[in-house]
Amino acid sequence: MDHTVFDAALGIHDVGHKPNLRVVTRSMASGKSSSWFFFSSDMRFAVKTCTPTDFSVLIHLIEDYADYVISRKHRTLLPKYLGLFTLKLPTQTIPFVVMNNVFAGYLDIHARFDLKGSTRGRTASAKERAKKHCVLKDLDLLQTKKHIPLGKDVLEVIRKDADWLMKVGVMDYSLLLGVHVKPNSKHDNPLFVPNEIHSEEQVALIEEGVAARKAHPGVIYVESDDLVVYVGIVDILTQYGCKKRMETLFTGHLLCRDVSCQAPKRYGTRFLRFFEHIIDQASSPHVVGLS
């Protein structure tokens, strides 16, 4: 496949060749991931170590994945995978994937959410909340009693992506939201209020229109009167194998809990139902990156 066609379908242009990387260790990352993350100097691209299983799943899916993102012509929230590599050391081989950074925007992100559509135990722990850039979860968002102004067009893209994810038999993926609260916003919910007041310099830049370009090419965001919301689906490489089936059986059926781990069809259906509930479909925000 011609890489220029694939890159164009992902909305990736002018990649650049800066060698500087910023590391995010496992203790700094949210969730249960054992991966290491590295970011390019401009935060536009992410390098993530992955398990041999993740590596094999992506190899298995890559042709279907490429066909899907090309057919959608930018209209997808799936990760933008740019490369899959292995680093061979004397004592081990480390697989890693290069992809876009969902939060590669120019504006400060005041609230981050990792949403799976599950409610069982899906709240940020005290340890997570103590982090400088904590990641909130499904119940934290529901407790705000606020609808996210993504609009019906973004919801339709989520439907298409979820249909494809169910078709290829994966689960445990998330939708990431990065919420920027505009200066003088009328949003009064504490989860969306910045920890620090916007600096005078940033307010001046926004008011003068200098910050009109709010993200790198390929980054998807939605802008309403009060908010700018960066959005993308991540972690799509988990298949429903024996280990996940046992987890569903024990924690779900035996303990009668609505756990995150579900078969792909049920997982995708619940995922969609959650976003149909929390997205303000009547809103008409400005959407960038999906056309």
Side-chain angles (χ1 to χ4, degrees):
M1 178 182 293
D2 185 344
H3 74 86
T4 57
V5 175
F6 182 65
D7 290 352
L10 296 176
I12 299 294
H13 308 282
D14 185 28
V15 172
H17 301 283
K18 290 186 178 181
N20 299 326
L21 292 175
R22 172 177 174 265
V23 63
V24 176
T25 63
R26 286 171 287 188
S27 62
M28 294 166 62
S30 66
K32 302 176 182 178
S33 174
S34 60
S35 299
W36 285 73
F37 293 85
F38 301 84
F39 292 95
S40 58
S41 57
D42 58 3
M43 297 299 291
R44 184 179 175 187
F45 301 107
V47 178
K48 178 184 178 182
T49 61
C50 57
T51 66
T53 300
D54 290 341
F55 189 92
S56 298
V57 171
L58 186 51
I59 290 291
H60 174 71
L61 292 180
I62 196 64
E63 187 172 343
D64 283 340
Y65 166 82
D67 288 343
Y68 176 74
V69 297
I70 289 172
S71 70
R72 292 293 294 156
K73 298 178 181 179
H74 298 284
R75 292 187 61 79
T76 177
L77 295 172
L78 296 183
K80 295 176 172 61
Y81 290 122
L82 306 175
L84 184 61
F85 306 90
T86 56
L87 175 63
K88 294 186 177 180
L89 302 175
T91 57
Q92 62 179 321
T93 298
I94 303 173
F96 62 93
V97 63
V98 180
M99 56 191 172
N100 70 308
N101 175 17
V102 174
F103 294 157
Y106 298 144
L107 301 176
D108 292 337
I109 295 177
H110 302 128
R112 295 165 172 79
F113 293 90
D114 178 311
L115 306 171
K116 294 180 180 290
S118 172
T119 55
R120 183 67 189 184
R122 293 289 298 166
T123 185
S125 65
K127 180 179 179 181
E128 176 64 28
R129 289 174 181 271
K131 295 178 181 179
K132 181 178 180 180
H133 301 300
C134 79
V135 179
L136 303 170
K137 297 182 180 179
D138 305 64
L139 285 174
D140 301 314
L141 180 57
L142 291 175
Q143 287 170 4
T144 70
K145 297 183 180 179
K146 295 283 187 179
H147 287 84
I148 303 298
L150 298 184
K152 61 182 181 181
D153 288 345
V154 172
L155 179 59
E156 182 58 28
V157 172
I158 294 174
R159 285 196 183 103
K160 294 289 187 182
D161 287 347
D163 285 344
W164 183 82
L165 292 166
M166 288 187 277
K167 175 184 173 184
V168 299
V170 296
M171 40 77 70
D172 212 26
Y173 41 88
S174 302
L175 186 85
L176 293 187
L177 296 179
V179 181
H180 168 83
V181 183
K182 291 183 176 181
N184 304 317
S185 168
K186 297 178 182 178
H187 246 278
D188 58 356
N189 194 282
L191 278 180
F192 292 158
V193 174
N195 293 326
E196 298 179 1
I197 299 174
H198 295 81
S199 68
E200 292 182 5
E201 180 181 4
Q202 186 177 32
V203 172
L205 285 173
I206 294 172
E207 290 178 345
E208 292 172 12
V210 178
R213 186 184 176 195
K214 298 176 176 66
H216 288 288
V219 175
I220 299 165
Y221 67 87
V222 175
E223 183 174 8
S224 67
D225 291 339
D226 296 319
L227 306 174
V228 175
V229 183
Y230 298 96
V231 58
I233 293 174
V234 297
D235 298 336
I236 67 169
L237 300 180
T238 302
Q239 291 186 313
Y240 195 57
C242 293
K243 183 177 179 180
K244 289 296 183 182
R245 291 174 188 271
M246 290 301 295
E247 182 180 341
T248 303
L249 175 64
F250 180 74
T251 59
H253 297 301
L254 297 183
L255 299 181
C256 300
R257 295 176 178 174
D258 180 28
V259 294
S260 176
C261 184
Q262 299 288 346
K265 180 69 174 178
R266 185 170 181 178
Y267 188 96
T269 301
R270 185 184 61 189
F271 186 78
L272 277 175
R273 187 167 60 244
F274 180 83
F275 291 106
E276 288 170 348
H277 173 68
I278 62 103
I279 289 177
D280 180 2
Q281 299 180 51
S283 63
S284 300
H286 176 52
V287 181
V288 176
L290 287 179
S291 59

